[in-house]
Each structure stands twice: as structure tokens, then as C-alpha cells.
Amino acid sequence: NADLLLAVDHAVKGVPSEGIIPCRTLSNAEGFCRYFVHPVAQENCLTGLLILFVDITEQLKAQKIREEFSANVSHELKTPLTSISGFAEMLSQGMVKNQKEVAEFSGMIYKEAQRLLHLIDDIIRLSCIEEGKNQAEEAADLYVLAKQAVEHLTPLAKQENIDISLSGGPSPIVGNITQLYELVFNLCENAVKYNVPHGKVQIETLPLENSSVRLTVSDTGIGIPKEHQERIFERFYRVDKSRSKQTGGTGLGLSIVKHIAEQHHGSISLSSAPGRGTTITVLFSGRRQQ
């Protein structure tokens, strides 16, 4: 590396250097490391060089995620606030006098305020999950949690002409019940919201070998293009921004699902294609109640 060789030349001349260069991590993946090159002298005579490499790949990734998160939060908060401010100003200035329009504008303000509250609530929950707060674990049943989610989503499914069903059987699991329910509910709610008229949503919970439990949520919806599949669990990432706005999504639901799964030593896999629906599987390894 030219930068590293130049740093060595400087150190030979008694000038310490440091910098960042591309590298291969211990797992042989592409990454970055910070190097420090210092001259080692004894009695004012150069006797060698000390070269230190520090893998900062994860540090840079975390920094990038924080920067993107801050930028996204600012944008997502600004959008509804701008609408609320605009509608409120028109009402306060008496620019809208027709009672029907007043009611319409007031409804828009309420809708945007609710959207803002949901967004803030999701951000707080995501932060708590990342920090490992409220991690009290207890015995639960993933099948029971899925059944509760189906019951709560049945009115929405009927409204959208979606058939939602649950199969499998008792699936004892140890974890945070509130978070596990939120994981199941978010996946099922997405399957309903991003479905097609007269579509189907199928949920299955199964206990497996090695104390593992598997949750599968399948739908016959619009599907996810391949180029988007690796990013749908990122914060604020939306495949179809216009549709997400229509359904009232904050862009954090699947990110919350991912973090809850990771907190419970779970892994997520996805199978999807445009027009052919989506299947998301969460495998909780070694989390079954004995």
C-alpha cells in the first residue's frame, strides 16, 4: 500500500505517521484498519520501527449507520411536521373558512400528528432493544403469541379481503414476551398490508430439534425484488415509498423485527419474488422451554 510505504519512509526519518487503509479482516472480508508507524530510537539512533494495525471495520460501519440514522430521522420527522405546520398556519390565518375544508384540514393535522407519534414510538422502542433494556425473560409460547396477533389483525384482514390463518402447534420459548409478540405482530401486519385483494397470509410455528423454534410468515402479496431483499431490514428502508406512506408505515418495523430476533439469538431468512409473495422465516436456536 502506497500510503503505508510512505508512512514507513517518514518513520525511518524519525517522523511518526498514522492513517486508514483498506484491509482484509480476520474473517477474510473487506474492511479497513488504522495504522500507526513510529520510529524506535535508542541514544538518538534509529534501531527500528513499531507498526501497529487496528481493525476499525465495525467502528466505521457503526459510525455510518449512526450518520444515516440521524439523517433519516431528521427527514422522517421533518415531513409530517412540515405538513402539520402548513395546515395549522392556513387555519390560524383564516385562509380556510369553509367548514368542510376546516374539518378536512383538521383531520390531516391529526393524521400527520399520529404518524409522528408512531414514528417517535418506534424510534424509542428500537433504541431500547439495541441497548438491551427490558430484557427480562420468561416462559412463553410462540403459537399463543401468533394466535393473539392473528386475532388483532383479523378486522384489518377482513377490511382488505385477506384470508389470514395460523397452523402448527404449541411452541414453548424463553424470551421477552412483549418483544416476541411485537416481532410476530410486525411480520403478520406487513403480510396483510402489502398483500393483494383476496390474498392469503399463513403463519406457522413449530418446535424443532436442538431446542429450536421456527416461525414462518408467508403471504401472496406484491413480493420484493431481489435487489431490495438484502436491505429491507435496514432502518427507514422502503421498497415502495408511496405504498408505505399509504399504509402508514414508519420504515422501522422490519428493523425492529431484526433486532428482536438478534436479541433472542434468532436468525432471519427471506424468500420473495415480485408478484409471487414473500415468506419470512425466523429461527430461534436453543430458545425452547425445556
Side-chain angles (χ1 to χ4, degrees):
N1 181 279
D3 291 336
L4 182 59
L5 292 176
L6 185 61
V8 171
D9 289 339
H10 288 164
V12 169
K13 297 174 183 177
V15 181
S17 298
E18 65 176 86
I20 297 174
I21 58 174
C23 70
R24 286 281 178 179
T25 65
L26 293 176
S27 61
N28 200 36
E30 293 183 359
F32 293 90
C33 66
R34 184 181 296 278
Y35 64 81
F36 301 86
V37 185
H38 283 251
V40 178
Q42 187 174 6
E43 297 180 356
N44 295 325
C45 179
L46 182 70
T47 59
L49 301 178
L50 176 63
I51 305 178
L52 175 66
F53 295 96
V54 181
D55 184 352
I56 60 170
T57 304
E58 293 304 318
Q59 178 184 340
L60 290 181
K61 284 183 180 178
Q63 180 180 337
K64 184 179 179 182
I65 289 174
R66 284 196 299 271
E67 290 173 352
E68 290 180 348
F69 184 62
S70 298
N72 285 327
V73 166
S74 299
H75 173 74
E76 294 292 336
L77 291 176
K78 186 177 180 180
T79 302
L81 280 174
T82 300
S83 298
I84 291 171
S85 177
F87 291 135
E89 182 181 7
M90 293 178 71
L91 290 173
S92 65
Q93 296 291 332
M95 298 172 66
V96 182
K97 298 181 179 180
N98 183 288
Q99 288 301 314
K100 183 179 180 181
E101 291 182 344
V102 169
E104 182 180 347
F105 277 43
S106 299
M108 290 179 178
I109 292 175
Y110 176 77
K111 182 180 179 181
E112 291 297 322
Q114 289 300 306
R115 178 184 169 195
L116 193 59
L117 288 173
H118 288 318
L119 177 60
I120 294 172
D121 189 42
D122 278 354
I123 292 172
I124 292 173
R125 287 209 305 276
L126 184 57
S127 297
C128 289
I129 294 169
E130 287 181 329
E131 293 173 9
K133 293 181 179 179
N134 302 322
Q135 281 298 306
E137 295 189 343
E138 53 191 315
D141 190 327
L142 206 59
Y143 181 85
V144 172
L145 296 178
K147 185 177 181 181
Q148 292 172 357
V150 170
E151 290 173 352
H152 289 159
L153 286 169
T154 295
L156 175 63
K158 287 183 178 179
Q159 180 182 331
E160 301 294 332
N161 292 317
I162 305 295
D163 178 41
I164 183 169
S165 61
L166 172 65
S167 62
S171 302
I173 188 172
V174 175
N176 183 287
I177 293 180
T178 301
Q179 292 185 3
L180 288 171
Y181 174 77
E182 186 169 10
L183 178 147
V184 177
F185 184 86
N186 281 354
L187 289 177
C188 295
E189 184 181 37
N190 272 5
V192 172
K193 285 185 175 181
Y194 295 94
N195 217 310
V196 294
H198 306 289
K200 293 183 179 181
V201 175
Q202 295 178 308
I203 304 104
E204 182 184 56
T205 66
L206 282 177
L208 305 175
E209 297 178 355
N210 302 322
S211 300
S212 298
V213 178
R214 186 181 70 198
L215 167 70
T216 304
V217 179
S218 302
D219 66 63
T220 57
I222 59 178
I224 304 168
K226 187 175 182 180
E227 64 268 21
H228 295 287
Q229 293 181 12
E230 292 184 359
R231 301 196 59 190
I232 64 167
F233 293 100
E234 295 179 11
R235 305 168 193 176
F236 296 113
Y237 189 82
R238 296 182 176 95
V239 177
D240 187 341
K241 294 183 179 180
S242 61
R243 187 178 178 95
S244 293
K245 188 174 182 179
Q246 291 173 4
T247 57
T250 63
L252 291 173
L254 288 180
S255 183
I256 290 174
V257 166
K258 177 185 176 183
H259 281 81
I260 293 175
E262 290 176 347
Q263 289 285 351
H264 290 79
H265 309 286
S267 60
I268 301 178
S269 60
L270 179 145
S271 175
S272 183
R276 298 179 60 184
T278 300
T279 296
I280 295 181
T281 302
V282 185
L283 180 65
F284 298 97
S285 300
R287 303 297 293 178
R288 197 164 79 232
Q289 179 186 2
Q290 299 298 316

